[in-house]
């Protein structure tokens, strides 16, 4: 029994062993990054600039985007520009993609990363907030994909979707956010199957992130989470690598995330209690 099993494991390993990443993979590539005015998106813009990619950035705050674009040009971006606007506006995804089409005439990588603000607390019953968050965190991702797909098919490009551990497992105090991230997994995992069935050579990478040290995340949850956040610079680089290597999923920080998901599959109740124990629930008070 052991020998065929070992053979199977080795065959799986060699079949799935990733090609090595090199920065040249991004040189001259045309990349859209959403949510690029701060946090992980901003760091992805800087990495892509150093790799000499063409970059189109988007978020709401024009002043911040201007500064990020300036820095990208200093770092060596082949070109860098931005479009500002809100993903709550259902016409905005098309505006962003049109900007890429008009400027470059094509697109190689679409990195969907933005999120709207949500509270970190017990679910407050506000259905309107859940609806709005679905628009920003989920439906705009779908709309961006729909508009970008003809160009991505042409270039045999990549879609990178930034999600969270809260999009794979239930976590307390983030019910609306978690719902939008689970929706991304359902939609894009289904789409990936269809691409394979129809031989559409566009890769879809789902990024499952743990706690990262961005200003907004630390501000929202540091009082209630045990453990140290991982660095946003490294996280941003790993996201770009996983997209360039056309990986199915990225789990970051490495090691911990894979073991957690395995534990969830084997012992879900125990896993849930472990999740609850990672929060300082006494520090979360209903408003
Ligand atoms: P930030 O809050 O730092 O950045 C969010 C970005 O989205 C900003 O550029 C913001 O810019 C933009 N944004 C906010 N509202 C809108 C809107 N209505 N329309 C368009 N853009 C908007 O987030 P992080 O960098 O921490 O997170 C990035 C990604 O990583 C997210 O998908 C998040 O879910 C995921 N993640 C992060 C974790 C963490 O611990 N940091 C953990 C797990 C996943 P502006 O305000 O100018 O619009």
């Amino acid at each position: 029994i052991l020998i065929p099993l070992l053979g199977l494991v080795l065959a799986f390993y060699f079949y799935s062993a990733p090609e090595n990443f090199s920065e040249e993979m991004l040189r001259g590539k045309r990349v859209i990054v959403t949510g690029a005015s701060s946090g992980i998106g901003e760091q992805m813009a800087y990495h892509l600039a150093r790799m000499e990619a063409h970059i189109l950035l988007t978020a709401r705050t024009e002043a911040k985007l201007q500064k990020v674009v300036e820095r990208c040009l200093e770092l060596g971006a082949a070109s860098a520009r931005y479009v500002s606007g809100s993903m709550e506006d259902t016409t905005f995804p098309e505006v962003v993609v049109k900007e890429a089409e008009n400027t470059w005439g094509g697109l190689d990588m679409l990195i969907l990363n933005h999120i709207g603000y949500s509270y970190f607390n017990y679910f407050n019953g506000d259905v309107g907030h859940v609806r709005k968050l679905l628009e920003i965190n989920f439906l705009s991702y779908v709309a961006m994909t729909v508009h970008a797909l003809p160009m991505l098919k042409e270039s045999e490009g990549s879609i990178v979707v930034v999600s969270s551990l809260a999009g794979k497992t239930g976590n307390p105090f983030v019910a609306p956010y978690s719902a939008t991230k689970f929706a991304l997994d359902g939609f894009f995992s289904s789409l990936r199957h269809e691409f394979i069935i129809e031989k559409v050579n566009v890769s879809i990478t789902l990024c499952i992130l743990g706690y990262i040290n961005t200003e907004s995340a630390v501000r929202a949850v540091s009082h209630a989470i045990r453990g140290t956040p991982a660095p946003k610079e490294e996280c941003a680089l790993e996201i770009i690598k996983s997209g360039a290597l056309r990986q199915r999923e990225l789990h970051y920080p490495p090691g911990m995330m894979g073991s957690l998901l395995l534990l969830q599959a084997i012992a879900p109740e125990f896993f849930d209690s472990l999740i609850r124990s990672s929060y300082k629930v006494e520090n979360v008070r209903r408003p």
Side-chain angles (χ1 to χ4, degrees):
I1 278 183
L2 272 181
I3 290 171
L5 196 67
L6 189 66
L8 204 67
V9 170
L10 282 176
F12 178 74
Y13 174 76
F14 285 114
Y15 177 71
S16 62
E19 175 194 349
N20 284 337
F21 174 78
S22 96
E23 299 208 339
E24 278 80 68
M25 287 174 159
L26 272 304
R27 184 175 297 152
K29 295 290 184 209
R30 301 153 297 181
V31 186
I32 295 178
V33 184
T34 72
S37 65
S38 64
I40 299 165
E42 177 184 357
Q43 297 306 318
M44 285 197 274
Y46 299 150
H47 285 303
L48 289 164
R50 280 186 212 101
M51 294 170 195
E52 300 174 28
H54 293 277
I55 317 165
L56 173 60
L57 307 177
T58 182
R60 290 169 308 173
T61 318
E62 188 164 8
K64 285 193 197 168
L65 287 170
Q66 253 164 13
K67 283 194 182 142
V68 179
V69 160
E70 274 167 32
R71 181 95 188 101
C72 285
L73 292 170
E74 284 164 16
L75 289 170
S79 71
R81 55 200 299 121
Y82 70 83
V83 206
S84 59
S86 175
M87 291 289 181
E88 203 184 330
D89 171 358
T90 54
T91 63
F92 188 59
E94 189 174 7
V95 172
V96 178
V97 175
K98 273 269 173 275
E99 178 75 16
E101 198 173 350
N102 295 339
T103 314
W104 301 323
L107 180 68
D108 299 294
M109 188 181 276
L110 174 65
I111 305 183
L112 299 168
N113 163 77
H114 63 277
I115 42 165
Y117 173 77
S118 190
Y119 55 86
F120 180 83
N121 211 309
Y122 292 88
F123 178 52
N124 64 11
D126 182 351
V127 180
H129 173 71
V130 181
R131 196 170 283 130
K132 177 176 154 179
L133 211 61
L134 276 168
E135 190 63 59
I136 301 170
N137 292 9
F138 171 61
L139 292 172
S140 73
Y141 280 47
V142 175
M144 289 287 295
T145 300
V146 168
H147 294 298
L149 205 50
M151 289 194 286
L152 290 171
K153 280 183 179 169
E154 177 78 31
S155 65
E156 303 200 325
S158 314
I159 301 170
V160 178
V161 177
V162 180
S163 187
S164 162
L165 187 60
K168 280 277 183 200
T169 72
N171 282 252
F173 314 125
V174 288
Y177 170 79
S178 184
T180 66
K181 294 297 193 184
F182 266 82
L184 290 173
D185 195 347
F187 180 82
F188 283 98
S189 299
S190 179
L191 204 62
R192 190 191 291 112
H193 276 299
E194 294 176 15
F195 284 0
I196 292 167
I197 293 166
E198 294 199 305
K199 300 193 170 44
V200 171
N201 196 8
V202 175
S203 62
I204 296 179
T205 302
L206 186 71
C207 304
I208 308 301
L209 308 183
Y211 182 24
I212 313 298
N213 69 356
T214 63
E215 226 180 284
S216 62
V218 171
R219 196 183 325 116
V221 306
S222 59
H223 63 290
I225 284 198
R226 299 179 209 282
T228 318
K232 60 185 178 206
E233 298 81 1
E234 183 184 74
C235 174
L237 183 58
E238 291 306 313
I239 293 173
I240 293 168
K241 281 185 186 175
S242 66
L245 294 172
R246 306 173 85 81
Q247 283 171 13
R248 187 177 186 280
E249 279 191 6
L250 166 72
H251 294 169
Y252 180 88
M256 170 203 124
M257 199 65 70
S259 331
L260 277 177
L261 293 174
L262 191 65
L263 183 64
Q264 183 194 27
I266 299 169
E269 301 265 333
F270 174 65
F271 172 81
D272 278 358
S273 67
L274 208 67
I275 289 280
R276 284 191 298 277
S277 70
S278 69
Y279 289 85
K280 300 178 204 163
V281 291
E282 65 282 8
N283 289 352
V284 184
R285 301 237 164 78
R286 286 179 184 276

Short mmCIF file of all heavy atoms in Angstrom, two decimals, residues 53-109:
data_model
loop_
_atom_site.label_atom_id
_atom_site.label_comp_id
_atom_site.label_asym_id
_atom_site.label_seq_id
_atom_site.Cartn_x
_atom_site.Cartn_y
_atom_site.Cartn_z
N ALA A 53 6.74 47.20 -14.80
CA ALA A 53 5.44 46.94 -15.44
C ALA A 53 4.77 48.27 -15.81
O ALA A 53 5.17 49.33 -15.33
CB ALA A 53 4.55 46.16 -14.48
N HIS A 54 3.76 48.20 -16.68
CA HIS A 54 2.85 49.34 -16.91
C HIS A 54 1.73 49.19 -15.88
O HIS A 54 1.13 48.11 -15.78
CB HIS A 54 2.24 49.26 -18.31
CG HIS A 54 3.23 49.46 -19.41
ND1 HIS A 54 3.62 50.72 -19.81
CD2 HIS A 54 3.90 48.57 -20.18
CE1 HIS A 54 4.50 50.59 -20.80
NE2 HIS A 54 4.69 49.30 -21.04
N ILE A 55 1.42 50.28 -15.17
CA ILE A 55 0.48 50.13 -14.04
C ILE A 55 -0.66 51.12 -14.14
O ILE A 55 -0.44 52.33 -14.36
CB ILE A 55 1.21 50.40 -12.70
CG1 ILE A 55 2.58 49.71 -12.66
CG2 ILE A 55 0.39 49.89 -11.54
CD1 ILE A 55 3.44 50.23 -11.54
N LEU A 56 -1.86 50.62 -13.93
CA LEU A 56 -3.04 51.49 -13.80
C LEU A 56 -3.62 51.25 -12.41
O LEU A 56 -4.00 50.12 -12.08
CB LEU A 56 -4.08 51.17 -14.88
CG LEU A 56 -5.42 51.89 -14.76
CD1 LEU A 56 -5.26 53.41 -14.82
CD2 LEU A 56 -6.38 51.43 -15.85
N LEU A 57 -3.66 52.31 -11.60
CA LEU A 57 -4.10 52.18 -10.20
C LEU A 57 -5.46 52.81 -10.02
O LEU A 57 -5.79 53.80 -10.69
CB LEU A 57 -3.09 52.88 -9.29
CG LEU A 57 -1.63 52.47 -9.46
CD1 LEU A 57 -0.74 53.30 -8.55
CD2 LEU A 57 -1.45 50.98 -9.19
N THR A 58 -6.22 52.27 -9.07
CA THR A 58 -7.51 52.90 -8.77
C THR A 58 -7.86 52.78 -7.29
O THR A 58 -7.42 51.86 -6.59
CB THR A 58 -8.64 52.34 -9.68
OG1 THR A 58 -9.84 53.02 -9.38
CG2 THR A 58 -8.85 50.86 -9.48
N ALA A 59 -8.64 53.76 -6.83
CA ALA A 59 -9.20 53.84 -5.47
C ALA A 59 -10.02 55.13 -5.48
O ALA A 59 -10.17 55.75 -6.55
CB ALA A 59 -8.09 53.91 -4.42
N ARG A 60 -10.52 55.57 -4.33
CA ARG A 60 -11.34 56.80 -4.33
C ARG A 60 -10.50 58.06 -4.18
O ARG A 60 -10.79 59.08 -4.78
CB ARG A 60 -12.37 56.75 -3.18
CG ARG A 60 -13.47 55.73 -3.38
CD ARG A 60 -14.25 55.57 -2.11
NE ARG A 60 -13.37 55.30 -0.97
CZ ARG A 60 -13.73 55.24 0.29
NH1 ARG A 60 -14.99 55.47 0.61
NH2 ARG A 60 -12.86 54.97 1.24
N THR A 61 -9.42 58.00 -3.35
CA THR A 61 -8.75 59.24 -2.94
C THR A 61 -7.67 59.67 -3.94
O THR A 61 -6.56 59.10 -3.97
CB THR A 61 -8.11 59.04 -1.54
OG1 THR A 61 -9.04 58.33 -0.73
CG2 THR A 61 -7.78 60.37 -0.90
N GLU A 62 -8.00 60.69 -4.72
CA GLU A 62 -7.12 61.12 -5.81
C GLU A 62 -5.74 61.57 -5.30
O GLU A 62 -4.72 61.22 -5.88
CB GLU A 62 -7.80 62.26 -6.57
CG GLU A 62 -7.05 62.63 -7.81
CD GLU A 62 -7.87 63.46 -8.79
OE1 GLU A 62 -8.99 63.89 -8.45
OE2 GLU A 62 -7.35 63.67 -9.89
N ALA A 63 -5.73 62.32 -4.19
CA ALA A 63 -4.46 62.86 -3.69
C ALA A 63 -3.48 61.73 -3.35
O ALA A 63 -2.29 61.81 -3.63
CB ALA A 63 -4.72 63.73 -2.46
N LYS A 64 -4.01 60.65 -2.76
CA LYS A 64 -3.13 59.52 -2.40
C LYS A 64 -2.66 58.80 -3.66
O LYS A 64 -1.49 58.43 -3.77
CB LYS A 64 -3.90 58.52 -1.52
CG LYS A 64 -4.11 58.97 -0.09
CD LYS A 64 -4.58 57.75 0.69
CE LYS A 64 -5.21 58.11 2.00
NZ LYS A 64 -5.89 56.99 2.61
N LEU A 65 -3.56 58.62 -4.61
CA LEU A 65 -3.19 57.92 -5.85
C LEU A 65 -2.10 58.68 -6.60
O LEU A 65 -1.18 58.08 -7.15
CB LEU A 65 -4.42 57.76 -6.76
CG LEU A 65 -5.44 56.71 -6.31
CD1 LEU A 65 -6.71 56.81 -7.15
CD2 LEU A 65 -4.87 55.30 -6.41
N GLN A 66 -2.22 60.03 -6.60
CA GLN A 66 -1.21 60.86 -7.27
C GLN A 66 0.18 60.58 -6.69
O GLN A 66 1.14 60.40 -7.42
CB GLN A 66 -1.53 62.34 -7.02
CG GLN A 66 -2.08 63.03 -8.25
CD GLN A 66 -2.74 64.36 -7.90
OE1 GLN A 66 -2.59 64.88 -6.79
NE2 GLN A 66 -3.49 64.89 -8.83
N LYS A 67 0.24 60.52 -5.35
CA LYS A 67 1.53 60.29 -4.68
C LYS A 67 2.07 58.89 -5.01
O LYS A 67 3.26 58.71 -5.24
CB LYS A 67 1.38 60.41 -3.17
CG LYS A 67 1.30 61.86 -2.74
CD LYS A 67 1.49 61.99 -1.25
CE LYS A 67 1.34 63.46 -0.86
NZ LYS A 67 0.67 63.68 0.40
N VAL A 68 1.17 57.90 -5.01
CA VAL A 68 1.61 56.52 -5.30
C VAL A 68 2.14 56.44 -6.74
O VAL A 68 3.18 55.83 -7.00
CB VAL A 68 0.46 55.50 -5.07
CG1 VAL A 68 0.92 54.09 -5.40
CG2 VAL A 68 -0.03 55.55 -3.62
N VAL A 69 1.44 57.11 -7.66
CA VAL A 69 1.89 57.10 -9.07
C VAL A 69 3.27 57.75 -9.20
O VAL A 69 4.16 57.22 -9.87
CB VAL A 69 0.84 57.79 -9.97
CG1 VAL A 69 1.44 58.23 -11.29
CG2 VAL A 69 -0.33 56.85 -10.23
N GLU A 70 3.46 58.89 -8.51
CA GLU A 70 4.77 59.57 -8.56
C GLU A 70 5.88 58.63 -8.09
O GLU A 70 6.93 58.52 -8.71
CB GLU A 70 4.77 60.80 -7.65
CG GLU A 70 4.24 62.06 -8.33
CD GLU A 70 3.96 63.16 -7.31
OE1 GLU A 70 4.67 63.22 -6.28
OE2 GLU A 70 3.01 63.94 -7.56
N ARG A 71 5.62 57.96 -6.97
CA ARG A 71 6.62 57.04 -6.41
C ARG A 71 6.88 55.88 -7.38
O ARG A 71 8.03 55.45 -7.55
CB ARG A 71 6.11 56.53 -5.05
CG ARG A 71 7.02 55.60 -4.33
CD ARG A 71 7.91 56.31 -3.31
NE ARG A 71 8.90 55.39 -2.75
CZ ARG A 71 10.17 55.33 -3.14
NH1 ARG A 71 10.64 56.15 -4.05
NH2 ARG A 71 11.00 54.46 -2.59
N CYS A 72 5.84 55.38 -8.02
CA CYS A 72 5.99 54.27 -8.98
C CYS A 72 6.89 54.70 -10.13
O CYS A 72 7.74 53.92 -10.59
CB CYS A 72 4.63 53.84 -9.54
SG CYS A 72 3.66 52.90 -8.37
N LEU A 73 6.74 55.93 -10.59
CA LEU A 73 7.57 56.41 -11.70
C LEU A 73 9.03 56.52 -11.26
O LEU A 73 9.94 56.13 -11.98
CB LEU A 73 7.04 57.74 -12.24
CG LEU A 73 5.67 57.61 -12.95
CD1 LEU A 73 5.07 58.98 -13.26
CD2 LEU A 73 5.80 56.78 -14.24
N GLU A 74 9.23 56.99 -10.00
CA GLU A 74 10.60 57.06 -9.47
C GLU A 74 11.23 55.65 -9.38
O GLU A 74 12.42 55.48 -9.60
CB GLU A 74 10.60 57.64 -8.05
CG GLU A 74 10.41 59.15 -8.00
CD GLU A 74 10.03 59.62 -6.58
OE1 GLU A 74 10.21 58.84 -5.60
OE2 GLU A 74 9.53 60.74 -6.48
N LEU A 75 10.40 54.67 -9.05
CA LEU A 75 10.91 53.31 -8.84
C LEU A 75 11.19 52.57 -10.15
O LEU A 75 11.74 51.47 -10.15
CB LEU A 75 9.93 52.50 -8.00
CG LEU A 75 9.83 52.89 -6.52
CD1 LEU A 75 8.65 52.20 -5.85
CD2 LEU A 75 11.12 52.52 -5.79
N GLY A 76 10.73 53.13 -11.28
CA GLY A 76 11.08 52.51 -12.56
C GLY A 76 9.92 51.91 -13.34
O GLY A 76 10.15 51.13 -14.28
N ALA A 77 8.69 52.25 -12.98
CA ALA A 77 7.53 51.71 -13.73
C ALA A 77 7.67 52.07 -15.21
O ALA A 77 8.10 53.18 -15.54
CB ALA A 77 6.24 52.29 -13.17
N ALA A 78 7.28 51.15 -16.09
CA ALA A 78 7.31 51.44 -17.54
C ALA A 78 6.35 52.60 -17.82
O ALA A 78 6.62 53.45 -18.66
CB ALA A 78 6.92 50.20 -18.32
N SER A 79 5.23 52.62 -17.12
CA SER A 79 4.32 53.76 -17.11
C SER A 79 3.41 53.59 -15.89
O SER A 79 3.25 52.47 -15.40
CB SER A 79 3.48 53.84 -18.40
OG SER A 79 2.53 52.80 -18.43
N ALA A 80 2.86 54.69 -15.40
CA ALA A 80 1.96 54.60 -14.23
C ALA A 80 0.92 55.70 -14.34
O ALA A 80 1.25 56.84 -14.64
CB ALA A 80 2.75 54.74 -12.94
N ARG A 81 -0.32 55.34 -14.13
CA ARG A 81 -1.42 56.31 -14.15
C ARG A 81 -2.51 55.84 -13.18
O ARG A 81 -2.44 54.73 -12.67
CB ARG A 81 -1.97 56.48 -15.57
CG ARG A 81 -2.40 55.18 -16.23
CD ARG A 81 -2.49 55.26 -17.72
NE ARG A 81 -3.46 56.23 -18.18
CZ ARG A 81 -3.15 57.28 -18.96
NH1 ARG A 81 -1.91 57.47 -19.36
NH2 ARG A 81 -4.10 58.10 -19.36
N TYR A 82 -3.49 56.69 -12.96
CA TYR A 82 -4.57 56.29 -12.05
C TYR A 82 -5.92 56.77 -12.57
O TYR A 82 -5.98 57.69 -13.40
CB TYR A 82 -4.32 56.84 -10.63
CG TYR A 82 -4.48 58.34 -10.54
CD1 TYR A 82 -5.74 58.94 -10.37
CD2 TYR A 82 -3.37 59.18 -10.64
CE1 TYR A 82 -5.87 60.31 -10.29
CE2 TYR A 82 -3.51 60.56 -10.58
CZ TYR A 82 -4.76 61.12 -10.40
OH TYR A 82 -4.90 62.49 -10.35
N VAL A 83 -6.98 56.14 -12.10
CA VAL A 83 -8.35 56.62 -12.27
C VAL A 83 -8.95 56.59 -10.88
O VAL A 83 -8.92 55.54 -10.23
CB VAL A 83 -9.26 55.70 -13.11
CG1 VAL A 83 -10.38 56.47 -13.76
CG2 VAL A 83 -8.50 54.85 -14.08
N SER A 84 -9.52 57.71 -10.43
CA SER A 84 -10.12 57.69 -9.09
C SER A 84 -11.64 57.57 -9.21
O SER A 84 -12.25 58.06 -10.16
CB SER A 84 -9.74 58.95 -8.31
OG SER A 84 -10.17 60.09 -9.01
N GLY A 85 -12.22 56.88 -8.23
CA GLY A 85 -13.67 56.71 -8.20
C GLY A 85 -14.04 55.63 -7.21
O GLY A 85 -13.15 54.95 -6.67
N SER A 86 -15.34 55.49 -6.96
CA SER A 86 -15.78 54.51 -5.98
C SER A 86 -16.38 53.28 -6.65
O SER A 86 -17.20 53.38 -7.56
CB SER A 86 -16.83 55.12 -5.05
OG SER A 86 -17.31 54.11 -4.19
N MET A 87 -16.01 52.12 -6.15
CA MET A 87 -16.56 50.85 -6.65
C MET A 87 -18.01 50.64 -6.18
O MET A 87 -18.63 49.65 -6.51
CB MET A 87 -15.67 49.68 -6.23
CG MET A 87 -14.34 49.69 -6.92
SD MET A 87 -14.50 49.28 -8.68
CE MET A 87 -12.78 49.34 -9.18
N GLU A 88 -18.50 51.58 -5.38
CA GLU A 88 -19.92 51.53 -5.02
C GLU A 88 -20.76 52.00 -6.21
O GLU A 88 -21.94 51.66 -6.33
CB GLU A 88 -20.15 52.46 -3.82
CG GLU A 88 -21.36 52.10 -3.02
CD GLU A 88 -21.61 53.10 -1.90
OE1 GLU A 88 -20.65 53.71 -1.36
OE2 GLU A 88 -22.80 53.28 -1.57
N ASP A 89 -20.13 52.79 -7.09
CA ASP A 89 -20.78 53.29 -8.30
C ASP A 89 -20.71 52.17 -9.35
O ASP A 89 -19.63 51.79 -9.80
CB ASP A 89 -20.00 54.54 -8.75
CG ASP A 89 -20.44 55.03 -10.12
OD1 ASP A 89 -21.31 54.41 -10.75
OD2 ASP A 89 -19.86 56.04 -10.56
N THR A 90 -21.87 51.65 -9.75
CA THR A 90 -21.89 50.45 -10.60
C THR A 90 -21.33 50.71 -12.00
O THR A 90 -21.07 49.76 -12.74
CB THR A 90 -23.32 49.88 -10.72
OG1 THR A 90 -24.18 50.94 -11.17
CG2 THR A 90 -23.84 49.35 -9.40
N THR A 91 -21.16 51.98 -12.38
CA THR A 91 -20.61 52.25 -13.71
C THR A 91 -19.07 52.35 -13.67
O THR A 91 -18.43 52.38 -14.71
CB THR A 91 -21.15 53.58 -14.28
OG1 THR A 91 -20.72 54.66 -13.43
CG2 THR A 91 -22.67 53.60 -14.35
N PHE A 92 -18.50 52.40 -12.46
CA PHE A 92 -17.07 52.67 -12.35
C PHE A 92 -16.14 51.54 -12.86
O PHE A 92 -15.13 51.83 -13.52
CB PHE A 92 -16.71 53.09 -10.92
CG PHE A 92 -15.30 53.58 -10.78
CD1 PHE A 92 -14.85 54.68 -11.50
CD2 PHE A 92 -14.41 52.93 -9.94
CE1 PHE A 92 -13.53 55.12 -11.40
CE2 PHE A 92 -13.09 53.37 -9.82
CZ PHE A 92 -12.66 54.45 -10.56
N PRO A 93 -16.47 50.25 -12.60
CA PRO A 93 -15.58 49.19 -13.11
C PRO A 93 -15.32 49.31 -14.62
O PRO A 93 -14.19 49.17 -15.07
CB PRO A 93 -16.34 47.90 -12.77
CG PRO A 93 -17.11 48.25 -11.54
CD PRO A 93 -17.55 49.68 -11.74
N GLU A 94 -16.36 49.62 -15.37
CA GLU A 94 -16.18 49.74 -16.82
C GLU A 94 -15.27 50.93 -17.17
O GLU A 94 -14.45 50.85 -18.09
CB GLU A 94 -17.54 49.91 -17.52
CG GLU A 94 -17.40 49.82 -19.03
CD GLU A 94 -18.73 49.83 -19.77
OE1 GLU A 94 -19.79 50.05 -19.13
OE2 GLU A 94 -18.71 49.64 -21.00
N VAL A 95 -15.40 52.02 -16.40
CA VAL A 95 -14.56 53.20 -16.62
C VAL A 95 -13.08 52.83 -16.46
O VAL A 95 -12.23 53.21 -17.27
CB VAL A 95 -14.94 54.33 -15.62
CG1 VAL A 95 -13.96 55.50 -15.68
CG2 VAL A 95 -16.37 54.80 -15.86
N VAL A 96 -12.79 52.06 -15.41
CA VAL A 96 -11.39 51.67 -15.13
C VAL A 96 -10.85 50.80 -16.27
O VAL A 96 -9.75 51.05 -16.80
CB VAL A 96 -11.29 50.91 -13.78
CG1 VAL A 96 -9.86 50.46 -13.52
CG2 VAL A 96 -11.80 51.77 -12.64
N VAL A 97 -11.64 49.81 -16.65
CA VAL A 97 -11.16 48.89 -17.70
C VAL A 97 -11.01 49.62 -19.03
O VAL A 97 -10.04 49.39 -19.78
CB VAL A 97 -12.10 47.66 -17.82
CG1 VAL A 97 -11.68 46.77 -18.98
CG2 VAL A 97 -12.10 46.87 -16.52
N LYS A 98 -11.95 50.54 -19.32
CA LYS A 98 -11.85 51.33 -20.57
C LYS A 98 -10.57 52.15 -20.61
O LYS A 98 -9.95 52.30 -21.66
CB LYS A 98 -13.06 52.28 -20.69
CG LYS A 98 -14.26 51.65 -21.35
CD LYS A 98 -14.25 51.88 -22.88
CE LYS A 98 -15.34 51.13 -23.61
NZ LYS A 98 -15.05 49.75 -23.97
N GLU A 99 -10.17 52.67 -19.45
CA GLU A 99 -8.93 53.46 -19.36
C GLU A 99 -7.73 52.59 -19.78
O GLU A 99 -6.86 53.03 -20.54
CB GLU A 99 -8.75 53.97 -17.92
CG GLU A 99 -7.50 54.76 -17.67
CD GLU A 99 -7.53 56.18 -18.22
OE1 GLU A 99 -8.63 56.68 -18.53
OE2 GLU A 99 -6.43 56.77 -18.35
N ALA A 100 -7.73 51.34 -19.33
CA ALA A 100 -6.65 50.42 -19.71
C ALA A 100 -6.70 50.15 -21.22
O ALA A 100 -5.67 50.17 -21.90
CB ALA A 100 -6.77 49.12 -18.94
N GLU A 101 -7.90 49.94 -21.71
CA GLU A 101 -8.07 49.62 -23.13
C GLU A 101 -7.61 50.79 -24.01
O GLU A 101 -6.87 50.60 -24.99
CB GLU A 101 -9.54 49.30 -23.39
CG GLU A 101 -9.77 48.57 -24.68
CD GLU A 101 -11.23 48.13 -24.82
OE1 GLU A 101 -12.01 48.24 -23.84
OE2 GLU A 101 -11.58 47.70 -25.92
N ASN A 102 -8.03 52.00 -23.62
CA ASN A 102 -7.67 53.18 -24.42
C ASN A 102 -6.18 53.48 -24.34
O ASN A 102 -5.59 53.96 -25.30
CB ASN A 102 -8.47 54.42 -23.96
CG ASN A 102 -9.95 54.24 -24.21
OD1 ASN A 102 -10.35 53.42 -25.04
ND2 ASN A 102 -10.78 54.97 -23.48
N THR A 103 -5.57 53.22 -23.18
CA THR A 103 -4.16 53.55 -23.01
C THR A 103 -3.25 52.49 -23.61
O THR A 103 -2.27 52.81 -24.28
CB THR A 103 -3.83 53.66 -21.50
OG1 THR A 103 -4.84 54.44 -20.88
CG2 THR A 103 -2.48 54.31 -21.28
N TRP A 104 -3.55 51.24 -23.30
CA TRP A 104 -2.63 50.15 -23.68
C TRP A 104 -3.13 49.31 -24.85
O TRP A 104 -2.35 48.58 -25.46
CB TRP A 104 -2.40 49.20 -22.50
CG TRP A 104 -1.83 49.82 -21.27
CD1 TRP A 104 -0.89 50.82 -21.21
CD2 TRP A 104 -2.13 49.48 -19.91
NE1 TRP A 104 -0.60 51.10 -19.89
CE2 TRP A 104 -1.34 50.29 -19.07
CE3 TRP A 104 -2.98 48.55 -19.29
CZ2 TRP A 104 -1.38 50.22 -17.68
CZ3 TRP A 104 -3.02 48.46 -17.92
CH2 TRP A 104 -2.23 49.30 -17.12
N GLY A 105 -4.44 49.31 -25.07
CA GLY A 105 -5.01 48.43 -26.09
C GLY A 105 -5.00 46.96 -25.67
O GLY A 105 -5.22 46.07 -26.48
N GLY A 106 -4.77 46.70 -24.40
CA GLY A 106 -4.76 45.31 -23.92
C GLY A 106 -4.48 45.27 -22.43
O GLY A 106 -4.25 46.32 -21.80
N LEU A 107 -4.50 44.07 -21.86
CA LEU A 107 -4.30 43.93 -20.41
C LEU A 107 -3.73 42.53 -20.14
O LEU A 107 -4.19 41.56 -20.73
CB LEU A 107 -5.65 44.08 -19.69
CG LEU A 107 -5.64 43.96 -18.17
CD1 LEU A 107 -4.90 45.14 -17.55
CD2 LEU A 107 -7.08 43.92 -17.63
N ASP A 108 -2.74 42.46 -19.24
CA ASP A 108 -2.14 41.16 -18.91
C ASP A 108 -2.56 40.63 -17.54
O ASP A 108 -2.64 39.43 -17.34
CB ASP A 108 -0.60 41.26 -18.96
CG ASP A 108 -0.11 41.65 -20.33
OD1 ASP A 108 -0.30 40.84 -21.26
OD2 ASP A 108 0.39 42.78 -20.51
N MET A 109 -2.75 41.55 -16.59
CA MET A 109 -3.08 41.08 -15.24
C MET A 109 -4.07 42.04 -14.57
O MET A 109 -3.89 43.25 -14.63
CB MET A 109 -1.81 40.97 -14.40
CG MET A 109 -2.03 40.30 -13.06
SD MET A 109 -0.52 40.21 -12.04
CE MET A 109 0.24 38.74 -12.68
#
